[in-house]
Amino acid sequence: WVTEGSAADLTKLEHSAVSALAAIHAIRPEDHDLSFLEPVPVTRPIAGATALERHLDWWDQYREWTTEGARSPLLDECFACLRDTCPTTTEARLSWGDARIGNMLFEDFEVTAVLDWEMAAVAPPEVDLGWMTYLHRFFQDLAEELGVAGLPDFLTAGTVTHLYREQTGREVSDLRWYQAYAAMRHGVIMRRVTERAVLFGDAVRPTDPDEMIMHRATLRAMLDGTYWDRLPS
């Protein structure tokens, strides 16, 4: 129904999806007790002076745990890069986590419910904005690899940041870093998914552990800077 929607339908969907994010991000730890969402240590105590640093440290620990049987040189490099370039923002809001339209219910292209909160946390709004825009690109990249048009001009970084600014009055900063953060966290998830598939006999373990990451070419292109040039504004 999304690919069959008119241009007006898709514009309506984008507005509604971003509006849902803005409403979620209006919930702040200064006004609500969000302490139950603070990250729980995976391999060692959580480190970080800001909500974003603690969020990143939790995911880095999850990477360490996921790859302890066979280290991933690619993911090691990804998270070293993320730490070296981490934004210094101190902003903290309720973060949905798995912020994408595949986790929303719609009626007439308007959001009626937001689902899948297992990745909820306290983090800057850009964590969700980066995830939403990257995850659409993930599926768009797959579509293009398969020779399908997809929706290349839908949920672009430019559109989402414009709508978010329009609805909240807030400028979005460092979105490219947050998109890379989303892609690299997604890399850890894909590695874990494939490890489970190997465990249950649904996949064969490759010689190179980085082959267990479906979008490894995307991560490599993000690291060397060539990924961004081909994206719509």
Side-chain angles (χ1 to χ4, degrees):
W1 60 270
V2 176
T3 56
E4 294 172 356
S6 68
D9 289 332
L10 298 187
T11 296
K12 184 178 179 181
L13 190 154
E14 287 175 320
H15 276 77
S16 186
V18 174
S19 178
L21 280 189
I24 291 168
H25 298 158
I27 299 174
R28 307 182 305 168
E30 302 95 295
D31 307 318
H32 300 82
D33 182 7
L34 302 179
S35 59
F36 69 99
L37 293 175
E38 284 296 320
V40 177
V42 180
T43 60
R44 51 182 166 73
I46 299 292
T50 66
L52 177 58
E53 289 174 354
R54 292 189 293 274
H55 194 273
L56 173 56
D57 193 57
W58 186 92
W59 276 94
D60 205 4
Q61 291 190 35
Y62 183 55
R63 172 194 62 82
E64 292 171 357
W65 177 78
T66 296
T67 63
E68 62 182 352
R71 295 299 293 269
S72 164
L74 177 57
L75 291 177
D76 288 350
E77 186 176 349
C78 284
F79 276 78
C81 179
L82 289 170
R83 284 189 176 276
D84 288 344
T85 58
C86 184
T88 57
T89 178
T90 58
E91 190 165 12
R93 303 291 180 98
L94 173 62
S95 176
W96 173 13
D98 202 355
R100 57 192 179 91
I101 61 170
N103 284 336
M104 292 174 164
L105 299 183
F106 293 87
E107 183 174 350
D108 191 27
F109 294 89
E110 293 274 4
V111 176
T112 59
V114 172
L115 312 176
D116 275 3
W117 288 83
E118 76 279 3
M119 288 168 59
V122 176
E126 283 86 353
V127 169
D128 282 341
L129 295 167
W131 189 267
M132 176 173 280
T133 52
Y134 162 69
L135 259 291
H136 178 68
R137 279 307 314 180
F138 171 74
F139 290 112
Q140 179 63 30
D141 290 343
L142 290 179
E144 292 175 6
E145 288 177 16
L146 295 170
V148 181
L151 294 168
D153 300 319
F154 181 63
L155 287 177
T156 66
T159 296
V160 170
T161 55
H162 169 75
L163 291 174
Y164 196 80
R165 185 188 312 114
E166 190 176 67
Q167 295 186 30
T168 65
R170 181 187 179 280
E171 293 292 334
V172 176
S173 60
D174 300 303
L175 187 62
R176 185 170 292 185
W177 185 92
Y178 287 96
Q179 288 177 304
Y181 185 34
M184 293 169 186
R185 286 183 291 146
H186 193 217
V188 179
I189 292 170
M190 296 310 298
R191 170 65 188 270
R192 178 61 179 159
V193 167
T194 309
E195 288 283 2
R196 287 174 53 83
V198 170
L199 177 66
F200 291 111
D202 296 324
V204 176
R205 183 178 300 278
T207 303
D208 179 358
D210 285 339
E211 290 184 16
M212 304 171 82
I213 303 169
M214 179 186 295
H215 59 299
R216 61 190 179 280
T218 293
L219 299 185
R220 176 54 58 195
M222 285 183 170
L223 287 170
D224 65 29
T226 59
Y227 181 76
W228 311 103
D229 294 340
R230 60 190 180 86
L231 299 186
S233 60

